[in-house]
Amino acid sequence: MSSSTAPSLLADFLYTICQKCRLGHKVLMSDFASHYVRDFPELKNKEDSAFYSVLGIVPKRLSTASQPPCLFSSLEMMVKFGSQSSDASFATSRLNGICKSSYILLQLYDIMFCSRPSHSSSSTDRRVVMALIQGGFVKFSDVADSFSPVLALPLLDAVYRCRINPPPLDGNWPASAYELIGRNDLARIKLNVKPMGSEDTSLISSTFQADDPDHDGLVFIEKFSAMFFPNDTRIHEAAKLLRSSKPLFLRVNRGPEVNDHDFERLKQQKLALLCRRILPLPVGRGILTIGNLDSIPVEPLPVPKICLAGRVPPQNVILSLEENRCTSKHKMWPDFHNGVANGLRLPMAVKGEQTISRTWIVSNRPKTPQAPPSQPNELPPSPEPDHTYGGFLFALGLRGHLSALDKTDIVEFINKGPLTTAVGMMLGLAANKRGSCDVTIFKTLCVHIPSLLPTSFRSVDLSSSIQCAAVAGVGLLCQGSAHRLLTEFLLNEIGKRPVADQNIDDRESYSLTCGISLGMVNLCLANIAKKSVNDGLSDLNIEERLHKYIIGGVDDAVERQRQNTGERASNNDNIESEKSSRIYEGSMINTDITSPGATLAVGMIFHRSGSKPAASLVALPETLFELNGVRPDFLFLRVVSKSLILWDEISPSIDWIESQMPDIVLKYYSLFKRKAEKLSGLGDLAKYSVKNSTTNATNDDHHMNSSFNPKQEGDEDKSGAAVDMEEDIDMDLDYSLIRQAYAYITAGICFSLGLRYAGTGNEQAMEAIYDKVLELKKLRDGTDPISLSLQPDISTLELCLGSSSISLAMIMAGTGDLKVFRLLKALRWKCDMDVKYGNHMAYASAIGLLFLGGGSCTLGNEPADVAALITSFFPRFPVYTHDNRYHLQALRHLYALAVKQRKVEAIDVDSNEKILLPLKFDFGGGHVENVMSPSLLLNKSTKCTIKIDSDRYYPAEIKLKDLADFNSTLSLYVKKKAGKLSYMQDTLGLKSFSSQLEAGKGEVLELVKSFIEERQMIAFAKFMCDNESKNNSCSDVADQMTSISLSRSCDVDSFRANIIQQCLKEENTDAVMIYLTLYDKVLNLEKKSWPSKAIWELRILRSYYCSSKNLAILNPHFVALLCESVDQKFSKFFRSESSKLKWHGPFLIWNA
């Protein structure tokens, strides 16, 4: 039996049953019989067949319903009046299993149309979607397939509205609900699905050999960051400036009097100066390429080379640097930095997961080849140690991967490896377990601190670098713990006196490291309410002792220790042997040793406390007498320490900047400038200039608008009396002291702003530092009288310029700002004897910070991040490659602990390709930024809402509640609307489907293929549409839509082509099948075996579109056209007498 005859047979049976229910001549169920006759008019004149003659008369009503239950009328009542029919209980009660679909449909209609007034339309739509999920529906097409497309239309409208306006991802919607509404992009985000290809390690292994022959990661970073900076080649230029694996361009002008021998010597001298700039480049390269590998490679990580050679034009002959100009001693720490830069490329370890095995770490250990003996019977020379592996181990610790090593491996690396391996291992272990106070690592570090060993073991000769690394490791390991014994120990070590004659050359570095470690252990320890150190450490008198270390005087604790030592001297003959025979400091504190560490310790302990008493401990001098008692470079540290304490008062405004400069310094500096302006062109300027500096660098004509030159009384030089009086009083003034003080304080202000606004991209702070850097640059490069009169010594200027450049880059970290990049390129260009190894390191670090992680990372500004940045970018840079006197070079890489990966990328969920997409970053308080993905999320606020700002993609919104904890790549899956092209294909939006349609370009199939990727729609356009005719304009399609001919002669293929184009234009391809279903219902209405069902569905559709105001899928004008066509059909049917009886019932249904 066919499905088309089943309803009529059932109706025939039910009609006969109703006729048998009689009481005398009265038909008890006549209303039911009339109901069936309305649906099947032919039943009225139908006689009982022999099959039904066996049924007897039933003298009662078989149904308790007051009227015949009708699913269609119940649905229409819900649509029109928002209430159920009283006779709909047959389905809602679920008493009959065969009414399951009717029950689900009634329940869904009840939720959608009979909801309480308090429910908004969006909440109603979302309740419908959740009901569909509970009913077992998975996809959008399942809803249309399970019910009649016409009856399912209101449900599909609700689903479509949820697609346009989905609920937030942090709500209680499951991922399956997003899948149902067609937002599989949000479902992937909800499930935190990683992009495909991120786990493919074989690709990375092959990439090392094929795409990156230098193995430095710069080729990869150029490709990786191309989407961050799509409009220019700035990332290519930055990689070029930080590349150390290729020969330099070496051009030396040769005079006619220079012979070949002298010319070769000149080339070697020029090459040696250029190599001084090459050797520190791995520090900047490590910052640039940090974290650019998505996964751990299978093979050992190749180590890039540091090329110390030049390419001499015009033959491009390669000239290598002579070995005596750069020995293995000179290359030790550059090789260490090279190893760190190589290891920092690895991804950050995921907490709770071990991604690197011990075998892989050990396999990266270089195998040093044994050199053959020069003569028989002679021992082969010992091979030169490899220092890159120590840096590689340090990098593994910074990225959190050293947990895979066994204890035996740790002991072997520390005891049997070279010095750099021991330093790297100890710092790496501490960084890997930062803040955990791990007992095993703590003991390992303490063994390498002589002051923590028994007296009999203190004579063990340990390198000062190892001691500094151990002390720094203790600070990292116990960060924020306020460990009492460790605090007392570090406090004593800051003022440690020289013992014996071992390792006394780097005392400044050791004392500084002790101070920084003390600050880390007690980071932000001061109670914000009491503005003082907590009670557990109050008896140590930390503030008083640190203040004495800063200003000098007699250390009472040391005096007591000496008295106790004197009492035991008679019983111990080794007391005198422990004293140093080279250095005698007496009972006074040597502030040259203790002041830097103590100054930073005060700032870190009272960080963000806002304590005025603590800030007074590091106050700047206010008189000339006080100024003469402080080393100028210590003023830099005092400004930074004071800013750390009064953190909330830091502002990029001119008022705050000028308030940090002492009046005495500002007064005399302004006086120098007025003297220079007055004596311009005269020979008297020589006595006000420290030295005449002539450079071939490009002079910057930027005026010194921020040189702190306020007008004061007596400035108007009407007769010259005021100026002459000041000149006579201060003729004995130390001019160089004022110049140095001004430069160091200016650099300290810049560094404070850099720390405060690190990773924020704050434009005001950037402009403030930018002006100061230009001012210092003009002092360095300028040859005009004013610059010469204000110019301090060149080493001071280079130090302040390097530190200020890093400050500028810290604020704009990861942004690749072109204005800052141009300035940094101009600063690094100078390469002469005055620019030392450390100065080049500062400029390389600044360029690396500007493009941190290739534009995918920025710096954090939490207390732990600030401590790491202070340690890493301490303003005393090494003079030569193996210089660790003032600061351990290995600590330059602790910036990695403050790096935050904040990359926000958009991935098309259908093609799985990374795309360009306009986004909005809403930081709250009306602060909204418009960016193009992939983009960097800066530290603008503590929270952020990311929104899609494009009409080509469906909207989405992601809320990041705690931005400080966000340290990963956010892959934002997006779904492109139908009829739209990506921003790579159509940058200006001139190739959209509407534009192509209006221009009449292309066949239907070609247009559909260009704008949609659904295979079903492509097949529909290929086989079911008219592809021969081309469209002339969009209006033609609309006209055909609104004037469809519903006769048999209608061009169905043309209608299908018009429909699919219109749906693409309206970005709703799901409506295609619904249009075709309605078209078929009306066109072939007379062919229907049960026309009343089609009429009921069209009636419900008419009621829905008359009562609803929130239509989503169908065009209302199209629905009106359908209704008009149905009326025309009835007029046609009633003209024929033979069809009147058949269409009488449907006519009553349609017009009831």
Side-chain angles (χ1 to χ4, degrees):
M1 183 184 297
S2 65
S3 60
S4 60
T5 60
S8 60
L9 290 176
L10 179 61
D12 188 7
F13 174 74
L14 293 175
Y15 177 76
T16 304
I17 292 294
C18 292
Q19 293 292 339
K20 296 293 183 179
C21 295
R22 296 172 179 269
L23 186 60
H25 295 285
K26 182 179 181 181
V27 180
L28 299 177
M29 298 187 68
S30 59
D31 51 350
F32 280 77
S34 301
H35 176 76
Y36 298 137
V37 168
R38 252 196 334 268
D39 287 346
F40 297 92
E42 63 272 12
L43 296 176
K44 188 173 184 179
N45 299 325
K46 189 175 183 62
E47 295 182 358
D48 289 348
S49 62
F51 177 78
Y52 297 124
S53 61
V54 298
L55 298 175
I57 301 299
V58 181
K60 64 178 181 179
R61 187 178 176 90
L62 297 179
S63 175
T64 58
S66 59
Q67 58 183 3
C70 179
L71 175 65
F72 294 116
S73 61
S74 298
L75 294 178
E76 186 188 26
M77 184 171 292
M78 292 183 188
V79 171
K80 293 179 68 174
F81 305 109
S83 62
Q84 281 195 21
S85 172
S86 59
D87 295 313
S89 58
F90 76 99
T92 56
S93 61
R94 302 191 72 175
L95 295 177
N96 198 333
I98 64 173
C99 298
K100 179 180 179 181
S101 297
S102 301
Y103 168 77
I104 294 176
L105 188 61
L106 283 168
Q107 290 295 316
L108 292 172
Y109 267 65
D110 179 64
I111 295 173
M112 185 166 184
F113 297 105
C114 304
S115 59
R116 285 175 284 182
S118 59
H119 292 160
S120 62
S121 59
S122 60
S123 64
T124 301
D125 294 339
R126 293 169 186 177
R127 290 173 63 222
V128 170
V129 173
M130 292 304 298
L132 288 171
I133 291 294
Q134 295 173 2
F137 297 93
V138 178
K139 296 182 180 179
F140 184 88
S141 58
D142 294 346
V143 182
D145 294 341
S146 300
F147 308 109
S148 168
V150 181
L151 297 180
L153 184 61
L155 308 178
L156 298 178
D157 268 350
V159 171
Y160 186 77
R161 286 191 292 268
C162 287
R163 179 188 301 176
I164 300 297
N165 183 26
L169 287 167
D170 55 355
N172 56 359
W173 255 35
S176 57
Y178 292 107
E179 288 280 359
L180 175 64
I181 65 175
R183 296 299 301 273
N184 51 337
D185 54 332
L186 299 181
R188 288 198 178 190
I189 298 175
K190 186 78 174 181
L191 296 174
N192 196 21
V193 178
K194 294 183 178 179
M196 294 178 61
S198 61
E199 301 297 330
D200 192 356
T201 58
S202 60
L203 293 177
I204 298 178
S205 299
S206 61
T207 303
F208 286 148
Q209 306 299 330
D211 298 338
D212 193 4
D214 298 327
H215 310 306
D216 53 9
L218 293 177
V219 174
F220 179 78
I221 208 71
E222 291 180 41
K223 297 179 180 179
F224 170 80
S225 303
M227 293 183 68
F228 282 98
F229 313 104
N231 299 323
D232 49 49
T233 59
R234 70 183 81 176
I235 188 65
H236 172 74
E237 187 68 19
K240 179 181 177 182
L241 296 178
L242 297 177
R243 181 174 280 112
S244 59
S245 56
K246 291 187 177 180
L248 299 162
F249 182 77
L250 181 64
R251 180 187 294 276
V252 180
N253 297 324
R254 180 175 182 176
E257 72 283 357
V258 179
N259 55 34
D260 292 343
H261 181 270
D262 292 340
F263 184 56
E264 291 298 323
R265 181 174 54 82
L266 289 176
K267 287 194 291 185
Q268 284 292 332
Q269 290 177 354
K270 181 66 177 294
L271 181 60
L273 286 176
L274 293 176
C275 287
R276 185 185 293 178
R277 185 166 61 189
I278 289 296
L279 288 172
L281 289 185
V283 179
R285 191 184 77 240
I287 303 176
L288 174 64
T289 61
I290 185 171
N292 70 340
L293 293 180
D294 291 333
S295 59
I296 308 300
V298 178
E299 304 171 2
L301 203 60
V303 181
K305 296 181 179 179
I306 299 179
C307 181
L308 301 180
R311 182 168 47 87
V312 183
Q315 293 84 5
N316 289 333
V317 178
I318 302 300
L319 177 65
S320 299
L321 186 67
E322 296 174 349
E323 291 187 4
N324 61 348
R325 292 181 180 269
C326 188
T327 62
S328 58
K329 177 183 177 182
H330 293 86
K331 292 182 64 177
M332 178 174 67
W333 286 105
D335 285 341
F336 179 86
H337 299 317
N338 193 31
V340 176
N342 197 39
L344 286 178
R345 296 179 57 198
L346 297 173
M348 196 70 184
V350 181
K351 190 175 182 180
E353 298 181 10
Q354 183 174 326
T355 55
I356 287 185
S357 63
R358 171 194 172 275
T359 305
W360 188 84
I361 297 177
V362 175
S363 65
N364 279 272
R365 190 173 188 177
K367 298 178 180 179
T368 307
Q370 286 282 349
S374 58
Q375 294 181 2
N377 301 326
E378 200 176 82
L379 293 175
S382 58
E384 293 185 0
D386 189 286
H387 301 288
T388 58
Y389 192 62
F392 180 74
L393 291 175
F394 185 24
L396 289 179
L398 291 171
R399 306 302 285 172
H401 296 297
L402 275 188
S403 301
L405 289 179
D406 297 333
K407 295 180 181 179
T408 54
D409 298 324
I410 296 174
V411 174
E412 181 181 359
F413 286 142
I414 292 178
N415 295 336
K416 296 184 179 180
L419 178 143
T420 50
T421 301
V423 170
M425 175 56 72
M426 287 191 290
L427 288 175
L429 289 173
N432 192 76
K433 297 287 186 178
R434 181 172 57 148
S436 66
C437 296
D438 187 271
V439 177
T440 303
I441 299 176
F442 183 77
K443 292 179 179 178
T444 304
L445 297 173
C446 290
V447 168
H448 297 84
I449 303 176
S451 298
L452 293 177
L453 299 177
T455 307
S456 58
F457 290 94
R458 291 184 182 178
S459 59
V460 178
D461 188 11
L462 287 175
S463 170
S464 58
S465 297
I466 291 181
Q467 294 183 39
C468 289
V471 172
V474 167
L476 287 170
L477 188 67
C478 302
Q479 179 175 295
S481 65
H483 194 286
R484 177 183 171 82
L485 294 178
L486 196 54
T487 300
E488 184 177 4
F489 161 73
L490 293 172
L491 194 59
N492 292 330
E493 287 296 290
I494 294 177
K496 180 183 177 182
R497 303 290 170 152
V499 178
D501 292 330
Q502 299 174 354
N503 301 318
I504 59 175
D505 295 330
D506 298 337
R507 292 179 58 213
E508 295 89 344
S509 176
Y510 182 78
S511 179
L512 172 68
T513 307
C514 290
I516 293 177
S517 296
L518 176 64
M520 286 186 175
V521 172
N522 300 279
L523 186 61
C524 295
L525 187 63
N527 188 288
I528 297 179
K530 297 181 179 179
K531 313 291 186 189
S532 61
V533 178
N534 62 12
D535 297 334
L537 302 175
S538 58
D539 61 317
L540 296 180
N541 299 321
I542 294 179
E543 298 96 323
E544 293 80 357
R545 294 191 61 185
L546 288 177
H547 183 55
K548 189 160 289 188
Y549 284 144
I550 294 172
I551 64 173
V554 178
D555 192 350
D556 298 334
V558 175
E559 278 299 312
R560 288 194 298 269
Q561 183 179 1
R562 287 187 174 185
Q563 292 175 5
N564 296 333
T565 303
E567 294 175 358
R568 299 193 308 268
S570 58
N571 299 325
N572 193 349
D573 298 334
N574 296 326
I575 297 296
E576 291 296 329
S577 62
E578 293 181 0
K579 295 182 178 181
S580 174
S581 61
R582 297 171 55 186
I583 299 177
Y584 177 74
E585 293 180 345
S587 60
M588 302 297 293
I589 294 175
N590 187 350
T591 55
D592 291 338
I593 303 295
T594 62
S595 183
T599 303
L600 291 180
V602 170
M604 295 167 73
I605 292 173
F606 292 91
H607 182 36
R608 308 193 186 197
S609 66
S611 173
K612 297 291 184 180
S616 65
L617 299 178
V618 289
L620 295 177
E622 296 293 338
T623 63
L624 281 177
F625 179 78
E626 294 177 351
L627 188 63
N628 283 316
V630 182
R631 247 173 58 178
D633 56 324
F634 291 172
L635 300 175
F636 180 106
L637 301 178
R638 291 195 182 190
V639 173
V640 174
S641 182
K642 181 181 177 181
S643 300
L644 290 176
I645 299 170
L646 306 177
W647 186 259
D648 295 332
E649 296 183 10
I650 299 178
S651 171
S653 62
I654 298 298
D655 293 338
W656 182 85
I657 294 175
E658 292 183 352
S659 67
Q660 303 306 303
M661 184 68 64
D663 295 336
I664 188 68
V665 176
L666 185 60
K667 169 187 174 182
Y668 286 105
Y669 193 81
S670 303
L671 176 61
F672 293 164
K673 186 174 182 180
R674 292 198 300 272
K675 286 181 179 180
E677 293 171 350
K678 180 181 179 181
L679 301 176
S680 295
L682 301 179
D684 295 345
L685 278 175
K687 67 177 182 179
Y688 301 115
S689 176
V690 176
K691 56 175 284 188
N692 294 325
S693 60
T694 58
T695 71
N696 56 2
T698 306
N699 289 332
D700 196 302
D701 293 330
H702 189 279
H703 65 285
M704 292 164 39
N705 57 357
S706 56
S707 59
F708 302 152
N709 190 17
K711 290 289 183 180
Q712 299 180 7
E713 294 183 5
D715 284 356
E716 297 82 0
D717 191 13
K718 298 179 180 179
S719 61
V723 174
D724 292 338
M725 185 183 301
E726 291 179 348
E727 291 177 1
D728 294 339
I729 294 175
D730 300 317
M731 285 301 294
D732 295 332
L733 178 67
D734 188 352
Y735 297 102
S736 62
L737 175 63
I738 299 297
R739 298 185 183 105
Q740 290 177 352
Y742 181 84
Y744 279 116
I745 294 174
T746 300
I749 294 172
C750 294
F751 196 75
S752 301
L753 287 172
L755 292 175
R756 177 64 179 86
Y757 297 99
T760 62
N762 188 287
E763 292 292 335
Q764 292 182 342
M766 186 271 287
E767 290 293 341
I769 299 180
Y770 189 87
D771 290 340
K772 295 302 177 186
V773 174
L774 286 180
E775 179 183 352
L776 294 173
K777 179 178 180 295
K778 187 164 186 179
L779 290 179
R780 184 191 73 172
D781 301 336
T783 56
D784 57 287
I786 298 178
S787 297
L788 293 177
S789 65
L790 301 177
Q791 187 182 76
D793 58 286
I794 193 64
S795 61
T796 296
L797 268 179
E798 289 292 348
L799 187 149
C800 295
L801 267 175
S803 180
S804 301
S805 301
I806 290 177
S807 307
L808 186 61
M810 281 195 293
I811 294 177
M812 309 302 294
T815 62
D817 186 81
L818 271 180
K819 181 179 179 181
V820 177
F821 187 40
R822 293 190 184 102
L823 178 60
L824 295 179
K825 285 182 63 179
L827 290 174
R828 71 172 290 278
W829 180 253
K830 183 179 179 182
C831 187
D832 53 23
M833 293 300 295
D834 294 329
V835 186
K836 307 301 180 184
Y837 165 80
N839 303 129
H840 290 301
M841 180 185 292
Y843 298 135
S845 300
I847 294 175
L849 282 174
L850 190 63
F851 295 91
L852 182 60
S856 64
C857 301
T858 189
L859 296 175
N861 54 8
E862 294 299 308
D865 303 326
V866 173
L869 293 176
I870 292 174
T871 308
S872 181
F873 301 123
F874 181 76
R876 195 70 183 228
F877 297 97
V879 177
Y880 40 85
T881 57
H882 53 283
D883 179 17
N884 289 292
R885 179 177 179 180
Y886 294 100
H887 186 264
L888 182 64
Q889 289 195 44
L891 299 179
R892 294 288 173 191
H893 301 280
L894 288 183
Y895 66 86
L897 299 176
V899 172
K900 306 293 182 182
Q901 191 171 16
R902 298 277 179 78
K903 177 184 176 183
V904 179
E905 62 181 6
I907 300 177
D908 192 300
V909 70
D910 297 320
S911 63
N912 203 45
E913 294 180 353
K914 298 179 181 179
I915 59 172
L916 298 174
L917 180 67
L919 299 175
K920 277 187 178 181
F921 291 163
D922 188 356
F923 296 99
H927 185 189
V928 179
E929 283 191 357
N930 297 316
V931 298
M932 179 70 76
S933 72
S935 181
L936 180 64
L937 186 58
L938 299 173
N939 299 319
K940 300 287 187 179
S941 178
T942 56
K943 58 183 179 179
C944 178
T945 301
I946 302 175
K947 303 177 182 178
I948 293 179
D949 184 27
S950 173
D951 59 347
R952 307 187 192 185
Y953 292 84
Y954 284 106
E957 182 177 301
I958 296 180
K959 294 182 180 179
L960 300 175
K961 296 181 179 179
D962 192 356
L963 201 57
D965 294 337
F966 176 53
N967 187 15
S968 62
T969 297
L970 177 59
S971 297
L972 183 62
Y973 287 96
V974 295
K975 189 174 183 64
K976 183 163 60 70
K977 295 179 180 179
K980 300 293 185 180
L981 294 176
S982 68
Y983 285 88
M984 288 184 176
Q985 297 170 313
D986 184 16
T987 305
L988 301 177
L990 302 178
K991 301 179 182 179
S992 64
F993 187 82
S994 300
S995 302
Q996 299 287 336
L997 208 57
E998 291 174 0
K1001 296 181 180 179
E1003 299 178 351
V1004 176
L1005 179 60
E1006 297 301 323
L1007 287 175
V1008 171
K1009 282 184 177 180
S1010 301
F1011 290 91
I1012 201 171
E1013 297 177 359
E1014 297 180 19
R1015 290 178 293 178
Q1016 293 179 349
M1017 288 294 104
I1018 294 175
F1020 178 83
K1022 181 177 181 181
F1023 298 108
M1024 305 296 291
C1025 299
D1026 182 11
N1027 287 296
E1028 298 298 329
S1029 61
K1030 296 187 178 182
N1031 303 288
N1032 297 322
S1033 67
C1034 181
S1035 59
D1036 294 337
V1037 177
D1039 292 342
Q1040 293 181 26
M1041 271 282 301
T1042 55
S1043 60
I1044 336 172
S1045 173
L1046 296 175
S1047 63
R1048 294 180 181 275
S1049 61
C1050 177
D1051 187 357
V1052 180
D1053 290 343
S1054 178
F1055 173 76
R1056 292 169 182 163
N1058 294 331
I1059 285 296
I1060 194 171
Q1061 292 179 70
Q1062 186 68 19
C1063 290
L1064 277 174
K1065 181 182 176 182
E1066 295 177 354
E1067 305 165 3
N1068 186 13
T1069 56
D1070 295 319
V1072 172
M1073 295 305 170
I1074 300 177
Y1075 275 116
L1076 294 177
T1077 300
L1078 291 172
Y1079 179 82
D1080 177 72
K1081 281 185 181 296
V1082 177
L1083 181 65
N1084 301 313
L1085 187 61
E1086 64 273 15
K1087 297 181 180 179
K1088 303 295 182 182
S1089 60
W1090 187 15
S1092 299
K1093 176 177 179 292
I1095 295 299
W1096 262 118
E1097 291 179 353
L1098 291 172
R1099 175 177 168 174
I1100 293 174
L1101 175 65
R1102 181 182 62 185
S1103 300
Y1104 174 61
Y1105 270 74
C1106 289
S1107 60
S1108 179
K1109 299 180 180 179
N1110 196 8
L1111 310 176
I1113 294 183
L1114 290 186
N1115 190 332
H1117 194 60
F1118 179 78
V1119 176
L1121 181 63
L1122 288 177
C1123 296
E1124 182 182 349
S1125 301
V1126 172
D1127 291 333
Q1128 294 174 2
K1129 285 279 186 181
F1130 280 121
S1131 300
K1132 176 183 176 182
F1133 294 152
F1134 280 107
R1135 292 193 194 102
S1136 173
E1137 292 294 333
S1138 60
S1139 61
K1140 277 186 177 182
L1141 179 62
K1142 177 182 178 181
W1143 292 100
H1144 180 73
F1147 178 78
L1148 294 177
I1149 294 173
W1150 179 255
N1151 292 285

